[in-house]
Amino acid sequence: MSNNANTKGLAGVTAGQTSIATVGKEGKGLTYCGYTIEDLAEHSTFEEVAFLLMQSRLPLAGELEAFHTQLQKHRTLPDPLKMVLEQLPSSSLPMDVLRTGCSTLGCLEPEMDFTAQRSVAIRLLASLPSMLMYWHHFSHNGNRIDTNTTEKSIASHFLKMLTGSTPSELNERALDVSLILYAEHEFNASTFVSRITASTLSDIYSTITGGIGALRGPLHGGANEAAMEFIERFKTPAEAETGVLEALACKDKIMGFGHRIYTTSDPRSAIIKQWAKRLSKDTEDSHLFAVSERIEEVMWREKRIFPNLDFYCATAYHTLQIPTSLFTPIFVMARTAGWAAHVFEQRADNRLIRPNADYIGPDTRSYIPIADRSESN
Ligand code: COA
């Protein structure tokens, strides 16, 4: 396949097969293992979805309980990992902290062979929120928090560690739904990194560490933080309208808008928007939601570009009083389920991922000894 303008960024290229998700497929939309995202966001929980992704089927009631128990048991951080987290300054980016934490756990509790892959994935799902919150509290105020909360869900566990109190049902469910929406998205950039890493028969920690690195960029997961930085510049919808028009005039990208696969809308956006609205009503501060909606209106009117999941997630997370720098790490907490599922699938029928490149460099030329080199040759 030629790397011409049409395949730049591998746009439109089918890079493999998967049974895990469909994204924007006609008649299907976004599905995880055959279940629509609308059904999952309405009826399921993040833990149920994580089980589904990793086992390719919904759990029975007893299995889900056992899964919760396993996740709760694995929230503890080993002392050497805490020591590493304590060395990282408060100025570190939380995404870098998670990347380091994941990699460190891989040194302390290595995946001995692939039969351990499911338990390592569960360990990471359970402990990534703990790593993030342990570092967050220690680096900002020297507190060594206990990461073993008794909260059942990961959403509630995270909010409890962040704020010190059990969240309201509304807040827990809003975060839980966002985790469902963030859990999986087919061959997105970070998942592809994870699959490439898995295809070399590397260990699962390396696949997830690589995924975190790819997710960090503002064209991918980092968009939710960049979206927040944009939204909070504006005090009123009118100011937001002017700001969007100015940004577009400068050919700036508005983060949290657009998508490589979806052409008219991101099905996850409608769902998270409803939750952002509910949260905003609950706090009786509708300002941020109104600003967000105006940005959406202007982007559609001017460019026919729609919000992706990251945009209203930013609004929802801010309303939940989550610091902006933790938005993309929350995405990690959820996407770890999808990354793990793809690693399992890649390993089950592996072939090294190693594409070709079209060479566009100079013709073969004679080597020039260093003493004979000049700027002209
Ligand atoms: N704001 C303004 N213009 C945008 C835009 C945005 N968020 N997203 C795309 N566009 C415009 C581009 O400027 C480009 O216009 P041009 O053809 O006049 O140059 C056109 O739409 C195609 O954009 P491009 O970046 O080439 O598309 P892509 O398929 O490579 O990129 C994204 C997809 C997601 C990377 C892109 O939409 C983007 O950068 N969005 C913002 C980051 C983001 O929200 N990422 C999270 C994705 S879930």
Side-chain angles (χ1 to χ4, degrees):
M1 171 130 0
S2 168
N3 185 19
N4 59 30
N6 293 333
T7 57
K8 192 172 177 191
L10 299 183
V13 173
T14 299
Q17 297 184 317
T18 185
S19 311
I20 301 169
T22 60
V23 172
K25 293 267 187 292
E26 213 173 322
K28 292 194 192 322
L30 174 58
T31 61
Y32 296 171
C33 305
Y35 298 99
T36 69
I37 197 63
E38 290 78 11
D39 272 350
L40 292 171
E42 181 71 30
H43 305 295
S44 182
T45 61
F46 173 67
E47 286 74 10
E48 200 178 358
V49 163
F51 184 103
L52 168 71
L53 292 169
M54 296 200 298
Q55 304 269 70
S56 313
R57 63 175 177 84
L58 289 170
L60 300 172
E63 290 174 322
L64 185 58
E65 277 311 302
F67 190 56
H68 271 287
T69 307
Q70 264 183 307
L71 285 168
Q72 284 170 310
K73 202 176 86 190
H74 286 297
R75 288 173 179 170
T76 309
L77 302 178
D79 287 341
L81 174 53
K82 288 185 191 167
M83 283 166 64
V84 168
L85 294 171
E86 288 181 15
Q87 301 309 308
L88 304 177
S90 60
S91 59
S92 302
L93 286 178
M95 283 298 279
D96 297 347
V97 171
L98 278 189
R99 194 187 56 213
T100 303
C102 179
S103 189
T104 306
L105 194 64
C107 299
L108 301 171
E109 300 172 8
E111 183 188 27
M112 300 312 267
D113 62 64
F114 291 176
T115 58
Q117 62 181 12
R118 197 168 171 277
S119 31
V120 176
I122 291 171
R123 174 71 165 130
L124 281 169
L125 272 175
S127 64
L128 285 167
S130 303
M131 293 179 205
L132 184 64
M133 286 297 96
Y134 186 86
W135 165 81
H136 177 77
H137 289 289
F138 184 82
S139 69
H140 288 88
N141 49 36
N143 278 355
R144 293 186 168 93
I145 63 158
D146 181 1
T147 59
N148 292 303
T149 77
T150 53
E151 303 299 315
K152 186 167 181 189
S153 71
I154 288 178
S156 188
H157 168 59
F158 173 79
L159 289 171
K160 174 83 186 270
M161 286 191 293
L162 179 65
T163 65
S165 38
T166 298
S168 69
E169 244 176 71
L170 175 75
N171 289 2
E172 177 189 5
R173 183 61 184 153
L175 184 62
D176 188 50
V177 169
S178 79
L179 297 179
I180 293 173
L181 300 176
Y182 268 138
E184 160 57 14
H185 217 222
E186 197 224 41
F187 278 24
N188 58 86
S190 57
T191 300
F192 201 51
V193 167
S194 292
R195 286 194 78 126
I196 292 171
T197 310
S199 86
T200 71
L201 303 183
S202 186
D203 72 306
I204 193 163
Y205 292 98
S206 300
T207 69
I208 306 290
T209 304
I212 296 172
L215 193 73
R216 181 185 186 285
L219 295 188
H220 193 10
N224 56 14
E225 295 179 18
M228 191 65 237
E229 281 150 24
F230 186 70
I231 298 167
E232 68 187 346
R233 279 190 216 162
F234 311 114
K235 290 193 193 66
T236 64
E239 264 186 32
E241 172 141 6
T242 310
V244 175
L245 293 175
E246 282 171 4
L248 292 179
C250 300
K251 302 235 171 286
D252 287 348
K253 273 188 167 173
I254 310 295
M255 295 298 159
F257 281 83
H259 201 269
R260 172 62 68 75
I261 310 285
Y262 300 125
T263 51
T264 53
S265 67
D266 176 340
R268 303 167 299 176
S269 176
I271 299 169
I272 198 64
K273 183 177 175 182
Q274 288 312 313
W275 282 97
K277 193 173 184 177
R278 272 177 218 166
L279 289 171
S280 136
K281 278 195 179 142
D282 186 57
T283 57
E284 289 171 7
D285 175 10
S286 56
H287 141 82
L288 202 75
F289 186 79
V291 164
S292 309
E293 251 192 335
R294 181 65 69 86
I295 296 172
E296 178 186 7
E297 281 162 26
V298 179
M299 282 298 282
W300 186 252
R301 189 186 72 212
E302 297 296 320
K303 299 277 286 182
R304 288 285 177 271
I305 299 181
F306 52 87
N308 55 52
L309 171 59
D310 291 316
F311 187 67
Y312 280 105
C313 249
T315 317
Y317 288 172
H318 186 87
T319 313
L320 286 170
Q321 298 189 319
I322 297 173
T324 304
S325 65
L326 301 181
F327 290 6
T328 318
I330 295 174
F331 193 159
V332 170
M333 285 160 37
R335 187 55 62 84
T336 296
W339 289 330
H342 280 273
V343 170
F344 301 170
E345 188 178 58
Q346 182 66 35
R347 285 174 169 181
D349 185 22
N350 187 54
R351 192 172 185 205
L352 178 73
I353 299 174
R354 200 302 185 195
N356 298 331
D358 278 340
Y359 179 68
I360 56 166
D363 276 343
T364 308
R365 43 190 170 167
S366 303
Y367 178 79
I368 305 166
I370 196 159
D372 301 338
R373 276 176 222 164
S374 67
E375 297 212 343
S376 61
N377 60 25

